Amino acid sequence: MKSIFYTVSLILLFFGPMANAQDQILTKQEAIDLILENNLDIKVARNTKLIDDNNADILNSGYLPSVTGNASGSIDKQNSEGVLGNGDTRTAEGAETRRYSAAVNVNYTLFDGLGRYYNYKSFQERSEQSELEVRQTIENTILQLFTVYYEAARLTENTATLEQALEISKDRLKRAQYQFEYGQNTGLDVLNAEVDINTDSINLLNSKQQLRNTMRDLNLILNRDLSAQFAADTTVTFVPGLQMENMYNEAQMNNVRLQIVEKDINMGLNDIRVAKSGYLPTIGLTGTYGWNESNNNSPLAFVLQNTSTGVTGTINLTWNLFDGGTTITGIKNAKIAYKNQEIAKKQIQLEVERDIRNAWDSYTNALYVLEVQEKNLQTNQNNFKRTDERYKLGQITSIEFRQAQLNLLNAELAKSQAKYNAKLAELQMLQVSGQLLNVDF
């Protein structure tokens, strides 16, 4: 039995310095700053937002004209023979003709049935939707962050509580050994105390291991060195004055899922308008500035060199009177897609209402459990204090003392668990209501 006790003690001595090295507190705000800067999911979402911003730019709108330039040159050698009006015949051997041309063309669509206008509006809606998706990614990541952060904080408190329990057990062992030496108890009390120390030591060892694993998980979310050492802030503050009615109203206005689907509906309406633009004509404007030159050394040619420059302007109208039903089919499909988006919105509205009510019930229940656990802890603290006094006076057995100690330990662990459960329930409710990024953590 003593060999097991010494083995566990050596393990704790080995891991003890590792735990003590984690003395720099990683505050909640620092964790948020790190995750906003380093998290890979957030980086991807922001890059997607940049792409959608580029698509919504005036350069991708179709409102600007297109300008093209072209140039050409050719050389032509021919043998030719010609008869003049007086009957003379002339021949040209290897007559060479050189032709050069260059032009600048400007094309601009004056009117395309408003398809360009609504396409541009859809790009703008998509850019705004992408911003909402970045916010959604940030909310989900922050909630994930604090799920792990508060788990690290809980394990930090648990480790400290288990260390106190181990110290109490060690003190009890010394007391039992003294009493055994003076003949006040049997060796069974000493053995029981050693068994309890081993149990407390193993529990402490497991808690430290879980804490190290959780800290690695947190470093992974923060996208930094997994071996980085830190201590979690165990302070928890709750947002005051939360009310169910206000949370429900906030969710209807600010829930990110509802805002995203609203953008889908707007883009669906624009798709219908784009499809209808096929019924209207397209009016375009074309302008050209050109230069042409021709050189001919043939004796048969009337002009040996010819150069011309000029500007040409054209306006054209195209009206597709019937396209085989493609436009009609496109409009029908766009309307069906729009109806599906409205159905999806109704579904999400119901889900958000369910989520906010469930989150509120979980939150209020967690606060009640926390209140009960705080009272239970106070009761067990008073009970252990009286039990400890009676044990010192020899009025109760070591088994009764151990039971009081375990009751206190379980109450402390339960209270810690209830505290962080309540805070996470609050954060989940704030996320559903769209207020997660507007509160202090």
Side-chain angles (χ1 to χ4, degrees):
M1 181 64 68
K2 290 184 178 180
S3 62
I4 297 177
F5 168 69
Y6 290 137
T7 300
V8 175
S9 298
L10 288 173
I11 294 175
L12 288 174
L13 286 173
F14 175 74
F15 285 108
M18 295 179 63
N20 293 332
Q22 301 168 356
D23 52 356
Q24 184 177 358
I25 293 180
L26 176 66
T27 66
K28 302 178 185 70
Q29 188 58 50
E30 288 173 345
I32 292 174
D33 293 340
L34 283 172
I35 206 167
L36 291 178
E37 179 180 357
N38 298 331
N39 184 265
L40 300 180
D41 291 336
I42 294 177
K43 286 184 177 181
V44 171
R46 284 173 173 165
N47 286 338
T48 303
K49 171 67 168 60
L50 292 178
I51 293 175
D52 291 324
D53 287 345
N54 291 336
N55 290 335
D57 190 77
I58 188 67
L59 296 175
N60 192 50
S61 65
Y63 278 109
L64 300 180
S66 63
V67 180
T68 60
N70 56 72
S72 65
S74 66
I75 299 177
D76 182 19
K77 279 191 175 185
Q78 292 184 356
N79 297 325
S80 59
E81 180 180 298
V83 178
L84 301 180
N86 59 8
D88 294 339
T89 301
R90 292 184 182 181
T91 60
E93 299 291 338
E96 183 178 272
T97 302
R98 295 174 179 265
R99 297 182 182 89
Y100 306 97
S101 66
V104 176
N105 303 308
V106 179
N107 294 285
Y108 185 69
T109 301
L110 297 175
F111 180 74
D112 67 343
L114 297 178
R116 173 180 55 182
Y117 172 75
Y118 289 114
N119 271 327
Y120 185 48
K121 288 192 66 175
S122 287
F123 283 134
Q124 292 177 321
E125 292 284 351
R126 175 55 197 154
S127 177
E128 294 173 3
Q129 186 184 59
S130 185
E131 179 68 31
L132 293 172
E133 290 173 351
V134 172
R135 172 190 152 194
Q136 185 179 45
T137 301
I138 291 175
E139 287 183 357
N140 292 335
T141 306
I142 286 180
L143 190 61
Q144 180 187 13
L145 164 69
F146 279 108
T147 300
V148 181
Y149 185 93
Y150 284 133
E151 178 64 10
R154 184 186 71 84
L155 290 170
T156 299
E157 287 189 350
N158 287 2
T159 300
T161 300
L162 291 170
E163 286 175 345
Q164 294 175 357
L166 180 59
E167 291 302 318
I168 293 173
S169 295
K170 288 180 178 179
D171 182 67
R172 175 183 155 213
L173 175 60
K174 291 179 181 179
R175 189 181 305 165
Q177 288 173 337
Y178 291 147
Q179 291 175 344
F180 177 71
E181 290 175 0
Y182 288 101
Q184 297 179 358
N185 62 15
T186 64
L188 181 61
D189 289 336
V190 176
L191 293 176
N192 287 337
E194 290 181 351
V195 170
D196 292 337
I197 284 181
N198 289 332
T199 300
D200 292 343
S201 300
I202 292 172
N203 290 338
L204 176 58
L205 189 63
N206 290 335
S207 180
K208 288 183 176 180
Q209 179 61 48
Q210 292 174 1
L211 177 58
R212 287 193 297 273
N213 292 344
T214 304
M215 287 181 172
R216 293 188 192 101
D217 292 339
L218 187 57
N219 285 330
L220 179 63
I221 296 174
L222 297 175
N223 190 27
R224 65 176 189 169
D225 185 6
L226 297 182
S227 61
Q229 302 292 312
F230 65 93
D233 183 6
T234 59
T235 304
V236 171
T237 56
F238 294 95
V239 179
L242 296 181
Q243 297 180 352
M244 173 59 196
E245 190 64 28
N246 290 340
M247 290 295 98
Y248 177 78
N249 293 335
E250 291 290 345
Q252 296 300 314
M253 293 185 296
N254 298 319
N255 181 272
V256 68
R257 293 181 63 201
L258 286 176
Q259 292 181 342
I260 288 175
V261 75
E262 189 65 36
K263 295 298 179 183
D264 283 332
I265 289 178
N266 292 342
M267 286 187 286
L269 187 58
N270 288 333
D271 289 341
I272 295 175
R273 292 165 175 167
V274 170
K276 287 183 177 180
S277 68
Y279 286 139
L280 299 177
T282 299
I283 301 175
L285 179 65
T286 302
T288 302
Y289 175 80
W291 167 82
N292 297 275
E293 181 178 301
S294 175
N295 296 304
N296 191 342
N297 62 0
S298 173
L300 300 177
F302 291 100
V303 179
L304 298 181
Q305 180 177 342
N306 181 40
T307 302
S308 65
T309 59
V311 176
T312 303
T314 305
I315 186 169
N316 56 74
L317 182 148
T318 303
W319 199 334
N320 196 343
L321 300 178
F322 182 69
D323 60 1
T326 301
T327 299
I328 296 174
T329 303
I331 294 173
K332 288 181 178 179
N333 290 339
K335 288 182 176 180
I336 294 172
Y338 179 76
K339 290 180 180 179
N340 285 340
Q341 290 157 353
E342 289 185 320
I343 293 172
K345 179 182 178 180
K346 292 179 181 178
Q347 179 66 28
I348 292 176
Q349 285 176 328
L350 291 174
E351 291 176 356
V352 168
E353 181 178 358
R354 176 206 62 191
D355 292 344
I356 192 64
R357 294 187 185 278
N358 288 348
W360 177 261
D361 287 345
S362 298
Y363 169 67
T364 53
N365 183 69
L367 286 181
Y368 175 76
V369 171
L370 175 59
E371 182 181 357
V372 172
Q373 293 294 355
E374 287 175 341
K375 293 179 180 178
N376 185 48
L377 175 59
Q378 184 177 4
T379 301
N380 278 280
Q381 286 173 337
N382 295 333
N383 179 64
F384 178 74
K385 183 178 180 180
R386 290 193 297 267
T387 302
D388 185 47
E389 293 173 353
R390 295 179 63 191
Y391 180 67
K392 291 177 181 179
L393 297 175
Q395 296 177 352
I396 60 173
T397 65
S398 61
I399 296 177
E400 293 173 312
F401 176 84
R402 177 63 176 176
Q403 186 60 51
Q405 181 190 7
L406 291 177
N407 290 341
L408 176 60
L409 176 62
N410 292 333
E412 289 175 333
L413 298 180
K415 184 259 181 181
S416 179
Q417 180 74 64
K419 178 174 70 172
Y420 294 110
N421 284 347
K423 185 59 182 178
L424 288 175
E426 179 189 80
L427 294 181
Q428 290 169 351
M429 181 182 62
L430 291 171
Q431 182 193 25
V432 177
S433 65
Q435 302 299 306
L436 183 62
L437 304 182
N438 301 328
V439 297
D440 295 328
F441 297 93

